[in-house]
Each structure stands twice: as C-alpha cells, then as structure tokens.
Amino acid sequence: MRLLVILVSYMLTWGLFSSFVPTSASAGINLWPKPTSLSWPHPQATFLSPTFSISSPNHPHLYPAVNRYLLQILTEHHQPLIDPAVNLSNSSPPLQILAIAVADLSAPLHHGVNETYSLFIPSAGHTANLTAQTVWGAMRGLETFFQLVWGDPSRVPVGLYLWDSPLFAHRGVMLDTSRNYYAVEDLLRTIGAMSANKLNVFHWHITDSHSFPLVLPSVPELAAKGSYGPNMQYSPVDVATIVQFGLEHGVRVIPEIDTPGHTGSWAEAYPDIVTCAGMFWWPAGSEWADRLASEPGTGHLNPLNPKTYEVLKNVIADTVTLFPEPFYHAGADEIIPGCWKADPTIKSFLSDNGTLSQLLENFVKSTLPYIVSLNRTVVYWEDILLDDNVKVDASVLLPEHTILQTWNNGPNNTKLIVSAGYRAIVSSSEFYYLDCGHGDFLGNDSQYNQPPTGGDTGNGGSWCGPFKTWQTIYNYDITYGLSQEEAKLVLGGEVALWSEQADPTVLDARIWPRASAMAETLWSGNRDETGRKRYAEAMDRLNEWRYRMVSRGIGAEPLQPLWCTRNPGMCNTVHPFV
C-alpha cells in the first residue's frame, strides 16, 4: 500500500496521468528490453554528480548488485553510436543519489516473484527514486537506470517516469554442458548477460549421454568416470559460486538431470543400470525406427533394475541440496524404443505383454513422488505426455506437481499441454533453438553428397534448420492460438543452446543478441500500443543494445554493418515482403 501511495503521489504532483503512455522515449535513449510504460514529455538531461551514490536497504543479494551497478555507472561512460538528441537542462542540478525503496525484503527468488518497479528522475532535485516490491524488482530497475546513463562526463535523463513489469514470470536460457564443457566463468558471464537483458532463469542441462560433469558427494564415481576429465567437472564449490552469482543478479539456476534417456555417461560408473550403453547409435542396415538413439551417444536407465533407483535417488537428493530452487528438471525426453529393447530383462518384460509406456510409467511412479517429497515441482520435457511411442498416462502426472516444457510443433504442442491442464514452458525448436542451422555433426553423412543441380533442401543438414534469426524469435507469440484461460498456464519461455556444435569459443555469439529478442517479447511484448508487431522499430534499438553488450564484455554477434547505425533508416525497406 505504501508503494502505491508513493507512485500516485509522484504522478499527481508531476501531472503524469495525462502523459503516462506506453511509449519509449523518441530522443535516442536506448532501453532493452523496452519498458512497459515510460513518460518523458520534455527530453532533457543533466549531469551525474562525481559523488553520485546509491542508497538502498541492506540485503545480502541486493547489496552486491548495488555495488556492482554503482561501479559500472561511474566508470562505463557509454558512448551511443548515435548521440541522443537531448538538451542539457539549465535548471536541473547534477543528480547525486539514486534512492531505492523495497517493500518486501524477504521475498525469495522463486517463480512468480514480483519484479515490478518504478523509476522517477525529477527535473528539479538531487535524488532519483527507484521503488520496487522486492529486491528482484529493484535489480531490474538498477539495470534500467544504468542503461539510461551515457557519455563522459556522465549524463542522465531528467523529468522521466517509468513503470515496468514483465508479461511472463519465466524468461530463460537453457544451456547444455554435457556434449561440450563450459568453464565456470563462461556460465557466470552468461548469467550476467541474462540479468542485463532482464532474463531470470538459467536452465542448466548439466548431464547427458556424452558426459556427466557434476560432482555429487553421494555418487562421486559418476563424474570421476563419466566426465571428460578432472578439469571438466563442476564441484559443489563451483555450483555454489554459480548459484550465488545468480542470486546476486536476479537469475534462478534450475538444474536438469535428464533421465531415464540420455544417460549413457552413467554407464562408466554403473554399467548394470544402463541399457544399450556404448552401442552404435544407428546400426548398419537397420531402419530409423530401430535406432538406439536419435544421435551418437546411446544409453537409457533400466527401470526394471532396483539399483537404478538407489543411484538415482542419491543423484536427486544431492542435486536438490546443491540447488535451492523449487523447480527440478527431470528431463524424460526422447525415449528410444530400440535402446530399451536391447536389454534382455526388458525384452522379457515386453514378451510378457508389458509395454514400453508401462516401463516409463513405472519409472515415473518410482521417482516423481520422491522429487515432490523434497519440496520440488518437477519439470519434464513434453515427450513424457506427447510422444508417439513411449509416454505416460496423464493420471500419473498431477498438474499441481508437474510442468511440461515444449520443444516440438510450435503452438500446437503448447495448446495440447495447456488444454490438458498443465503449466507450460515454451522452447519451440522452430523458433527458440539457437543451435539450429549449423548443419549436423555426423561424419559419413550422404545427405551432403548432392548433385550441383539438386538445389538446397532448406535446412543445410540441420534437423531444425534453418538458423533462427532474431526476427524469427522476436515475432513468435508463445500464447498463439490459446484462450485467455489457457494462456494463463504458459509460464514463459526459454531459448535453448544444445552443444553438439557449440562450446565456449562460440557461446556468446550463439546466444546474443538473439536471446535479447526473446527477452523483450517476454518482458513487454512484441507489439506497440496499437497492436502492431514492432520488429521494425526494434531493429535500431537492438543493434545499439548489441554494441553496448559488446562493450560490457559479451561477445554478441553483429546484426548489421556499422554503416547502418551511422546512417539511420538507410538499411530499412519501405517495401513489404510477403
């Protein structure tokens, strides 16, 4: 209530009710993602005082964020590619203080936490005010204030009021660290860049058939034997560093331990519990339907072996201890019938009228209640419910304990998930997969041996090609085709970088600035106040934002020649393309 009184007081005294419109400044001040509502009726600026400071409540995660932003504000001196058309105010004194007020200092960084904030920089006065319900909203506001500062000496807009709140609570990046290893500093840099883009979920796909890099105290053999080596592991200390860094940047770290498929690396330590491990993924002369995996790297956990659950429960318990996050991602994608059928005990089960879906149901019934007993909500990939061949009955997946992440068939599968009553996280490969369009990693692949006149298949050998451009990502509406009630079950979305053809050398460029495009659409949408898609207007802002990210140490790939930015409008078209 106190926050509402403050906001109304500002708006009344400053006459903002008439000018409070959902538009961005037109004077060249770049903000990404675009805020929900911004009013700046008279584009003017003042200098930042050399003694500028930030006052804030004492909080273990907000305090480091304040110190970090204060240092950046005082030292960055960002020079926009195009100087903002802003007059320096003759009547505004240098801004001396950013005062932060937070109503609830105890709200944890969990799904659905309030990230709303308001920012008021007066035309007259020494103090700007950042008001938020939680420390996480205050962090979002700190990023916005930082983006508003430019020049040397530093300048900041005055006479500005901004109110901001995200459309979707779940805004994330998924990174696979099993197929190729990423050092801790790579993950920290990614989380820092996410925070700058107001993304709040780092979905860490830690393990897969290719390697098991996570050191778990109860089952250390998994990493000792299943990782790529002792210098390609994540220790408990490493995990604590990453989780703490996430908290100080307002980013949740959700672990994914993919099971029962994608577990070939487990066989290095526990060969008895993994079926078809080490076998060739698509035997010569066999049909695609009889493959053992969808790509090189075979192995499924055996649901019929009691030892499977002994090992897995240790894995789950240790992971939950390392990650104080209410969501636990349990994978469950791409169960390949051939891999389970290769095991004699499973063959016997199937010959006795058992089915592969019953095997998966047995596995889920033995693991889901245990994860829930540890006060976790379980996230599965959509396959567990929607796969054509191996899936569980919906009665096994209680919606109150289960979230499904979709990756196939775009809006169609999202519709299937929410219409069944489940909450959804959208990662549609047709729009949000960042690894697409780079060919494939198979050797001896005859699809590349085409006659010169054969034409291009359109996917360049990538199963999910072509490359997903920032425009493709930006224009995707993740609630497309849903009713209002169904749309409420969509928690948000994640772009995904699978690492068959990615490692630290290309990490930044594969993610940024394409993830920035999703960040804006999930924060404030991809449409203007008239309802039109704003991808055209976003081009210049995203281009400028990409340059600023690069100046902050993020190796984001270029979108245009520098000439385009230096010559506004000359790289646009006035011709609509159908």
Side-chain angles (χ1 to χ4, degrees):
M1 186 63 185
R2 177 175 172 271
L3 286 175
L4 180 61
V5 171
I6 292 173
L7 294 182
V8 172
S9 175
Y10 284 161
M11 296 172 76
L12 284 173
T13 57
W14 204 46
L16 282 176
F17 281 115
S18 61
S19 60
F20 188 66
V21 292
T23 61
S24 179
S26 60
I29 296 295
N30 189 67
L31 291 175
W32 197 278
K34 194 167 190 174
T36 305
S37 298
L38 186 152
S39 180
W40 192 26
H42 306 291
Q44 292 186 322
T46 191
F47 289 111
L48 209 63
S49 169
T51 60
F52 176 79
S53 63
I54 301 175
S55 66
S56 73
N58 187 23
H59 185 277
H61 304 313
L62 181 59
Y63 183 73
V66 166
N67 287 339
R68 180 176 70 251
Y69 276 109
L70 180 59
L71 178 63
Q72 291 173 323
I73 289 167
L74 294 176
T75 60
E76 185 192 46
H77 301 299
H78 173 65
Q79 294 291 345
L81 296 176
I82 299 292
D83 288 333
V86 181
N87 294 322
L88 281 172
S89 172
N90 294 321
S91 59
S92 299
L95 190 68
Q96 294 183 353
I97 299 173
L98 174 64
I100 301 176
V102 177
D104 182 1
L105 291 171
S106 63
L109 183 61
H110 291 171
H111 174 75
V113 69
N114 191 321
E115 295 175 274
T116 302
Y117 70 92
S118 66
L119 178 63
F120 177 64
I121 307 176
S123 297
H126 300 283
T127 302
N129 290 277
L130 170 58
T131 306
Q133 185 67 28
T134 69
V135 297
W136 321 110
M139 289 184 190
R140 308 297 172 231
L142 277 166
E143 174 60 36
T144 296
F145 183 85
F146 176 42
Q147 290 186 24
L148 287 170
V149 178
W150 86 97
D152 189 6
S154 295
R155 299 162 175 82
V156 64
V158 294
L160 178 146
Y161 179 83
L162 185 153
W163 182 88
D164 213 3
S165 185
L167 290 174
F168 292 94
H170 189 108
R171 309 178 305 280
V173 170
M174 190 230 74
L175 180 64
D176 157 27
T177 63
S178 171
R179 291 172 174 88
N180 277 314
Y181 175 82
Y182 298 81
V184 171
E185 55 264 31
D186 297 315
L187 305 189
L188 299 183
R189 187 177 66 259
T190 300
I191 291 171
M194 289 175 61
S195 181
N197 284 271
K198 295 185 172 66
L199 294 169
N200 65 353
V201 174
F202 178 62
H203 170 178
W204 188 0
H205 183 92
I206 310 175
T207 67
D208 212 290
S209 280
H210 306 85
S211 75
F212 196 108
L214 181 63
V215 178
L216 297 173
S218 298
V219 279
E221 299 88 355
L222 282 170
K225 297 180 179 180
S227 69
Y228 286 135
N231 61 335
M232 294 188 182
Q233 297 174 356
Y234 303 105
S235 70
V237 172
D238 292 332
V239 172
T241 297
I242 293 164
V243 169
Q244 178 68 18
F245 190 86
L247 289 170
E248 293 175 0
H249 287 74
V251 176
R252 300 159 55 205
V253 181
I254 297 178
E256 180 186 353
I257 307 296
D258 201 352
T259 59
H262 292 279
T263 48
S265 59
W266 299 47
E268 300 296 330
Y270 299 100
D272 294 344
I273 69 172
V274 182
T275 66
C276 87
M279 298 176 69
F280 190 73
W281 70 288
W282 187 8
S286 65
E287 298 293 328
W288 177 251
D290 297 323
R291 70 195 184 279
L292 303 183
S294 289
E295 68 176 27
T298 56
H300 288 10
L301 295 181
N302 187 345
L304 297 180
N305 189 338
K307 189 176 179 181
T308 295
Y309 303 105
E310 294 176 17
V311 175
L312 183 53
K313 287 185 177 180
N314 282 330
V315 169
I316 294 169
D318 281 0
T319 303
V320 165
T321 299
L322 289 173
F323 294 88
E325 157 60 43
F327 287 6
Y328 177 94
H329 205 304
D333 60 315
E334 295 188 312
I335 302 300
I336 308 302
C339 186
W340 269 347
K341 289 178 180 179
D343 181 81
T345 60
I346 291 178
K347 268 188 178 179
S348 177
F349 173 82
L350 296 176
S351 65
D352 198 23
N353 296 320
T355 68
L356 295 175
S357 290
Q358 286 174 340
L359 270 182
L360 182 58
E361 283 198 4
N362 291 341
F363 180 85
V364 172
K365 287 178 180 178
S366 298
T367 54
L368 175 58
Y370 178 69
I371 301 170
V372 171
S373 75
L374 299 174
N375 297 316
R376 295 297 186 269
T377 297
V378 186
V379 185
Y380 292 113
W381 293 104
E382 63 180 19
D383 311 43
I384 198 168
L385 186 71
L386 302 182
D387 188 80
D388 291 334
N389 300 308
V390 186
K391 57 188 174 183
V392 305
D393 189 86
S395 62
V396 178
L397 302 173
L398 296 178
E400 59 265 34
H401 299 311
T402 309
I403 297 167
L404 298 182
Q405 185 162 3
T406 179
W407 63 283
N408 282 307
N409 300 322
N412 295 326
N413 278 14
T414 304
K415 178 81 169 181
L416 290 174
I417 289 169
V418 297
S419 63
Y422 292 97
R423 291 165 287 174
I425 297 168
V426 177
S427 292
S428 304
S429 58
E430 302 91 334
F431 301 90
Y432 280 179
Y433 269 30
L434 303 180
D435 54 301
C436 300
H438 291 275
D440 207 340
F441 70 105
L442 299 178
N444 190 34
D445 190 346
S446 61
Q447 69 175 311
Y448 294 106
N449 184 26
Q450 301 294 330
T453 58
D456 182 34
T457 61
N459 65 7
S462 169
W463 74 269
C464 57
F467 180 86
K468 311 308 174 191
T469 66
W470 79 263
Q471 294 95 333
T472 297
I473 294 169
Y474 193 87
N475 286 322
Y476 186 37
D477 293 321
I478 65 173
T479 59
Y480 180 82
L482 304 182
S483 69
Q484 288 187 352
E485 288 304 308
E486 289 172 336
K488 291 177 182 177
L489 291 174
V490 176
L491 304 185
E494 294 176 4
V495 289
L497 180 59
W498 301 98
S499 293
E500 287 90 343
Q501 295 174 298
D503 68 9
T505 64
V506 300
L507 174 63
D508 289 10
R510 290 283 166 88
I511 296 179
W512 310 108
R514 290 187 293 162
S516 303
M518 185 198 69
E520 177 157 296
T521 65
L522 299 189
W523 182 273
S524 56
N526 59 10
R527 297 176 185 271
D528 63 20
E529 56 269 24
T530 70
R532 293 181 60 186
K533 289 281 184 75
R534 63 186 185 198
Y535 57 89
E537 176 272 337
M539 177 79 251
D540 290 340
R541 285 189 301 109
L542 183 57
N543 203 26
E544 177 77 51
W545 175 234
R546 177 261 168 183
Y547 276 95
R548 191 159 189 177
M549 283 197 290
V550 170
S551 73
R552 292 168 72 165
I554 303 163
E557 68 179 358
L559 299 177
Q560 290 182 322
L562 180 58
W563 183 87
C564 295
T565 307
R566 295 282 173 81
N567 294 269
M570 293 294 284
C571 290
N572 296 336
T573 176
V574 295
H575 304 282
F577 290 94
V578 178

